[in-house]
Amino acid sequence: MEKQNLFLCFLVFLSFTSFCQGDIGAKLYCVANEWASDDTLLEYLDHLPYKYVKDLEPGKPCYLPFTARSHASYALNLVYRKTDKCPRHLGVKTLVNPSYGKCKYP
């Protein structure tokens, strides 16, 4: 009985550690965090090079919804892909793919 309990504890431990580590190799995304104000996000977008915002123009798949949070999330993720940096005051990393409709996050 003691060996059986020890084995069960070991299995619980293994499942817990794999759960805490998440899916190793999973793709992370950087999106606008809920605490960043629209003004802060718009200022961020205003200072980005064109290559990070060109997919957010009217008629492009990621133009709508036309909100600071949506546009900043897309741009933050593009910058994250290039630099591996997700600024804490603006963004948060997530395992959830934020793509929607025809707007595909890289």
Side-chain angles (χ1 to χ4, degrees):
M1 182 76 161
E2 187 176 320
K3 286 184 180 182
Q4 199 173 30
N5 286 342
L6 185 60
F7 180 70
L8 287 174
C9 287
F10 179 71
L11 286 179
V12 168
F13 173 77
L14 283 180
S15 64
F16 179 73
T17 56
S18 64
F19 172 77
C20 291
Q21 291 175 359
D23 184 11
I24 296 177
K27 190 171 185 177
L28 286 173
Y29 300 87
C30 177
V31 296
N33 73 39
E34 59 186 76
W35 302 282
S37 70
D38 283 355
D39 288 340
T40 302
L41 296 173
L42 288 172
E43 184 178 339
Y44 173 75
L45 288 167
D46 286 345
H47 290 92
L48 282 176
Y50 176 71
K51 66 182 177 181
Y52 294 116
V53 295
K54 66 181 180 179
D55 293 332
L56 302 172
E57 295 178 332
K60 301 285 184 154
C62 297
Y63 176 72
L64 294 175
F66 182 63
T67 65
R69 191 155 314 282
S70 177
H71 283 200
S73 289
Y74 186 83
L76 279 163
N77 191 65
L78 282 179
V79 171
Y80 177 64
R81 290 280 162 257
K82 299 282 185 190
T83 65
D84 201 34
K85 293 181 179 150
C86 184
R88 286 186 162 178
H89 68 290
L90 297 172
V92 62
K93 292 179 187 176
T94 181
L95 287 169
V96 178
N97 184 339
S99 298
Y100 56 93
K102 291 183 179 180
C103 179
K104 305 299 181 203
Y105 280 54

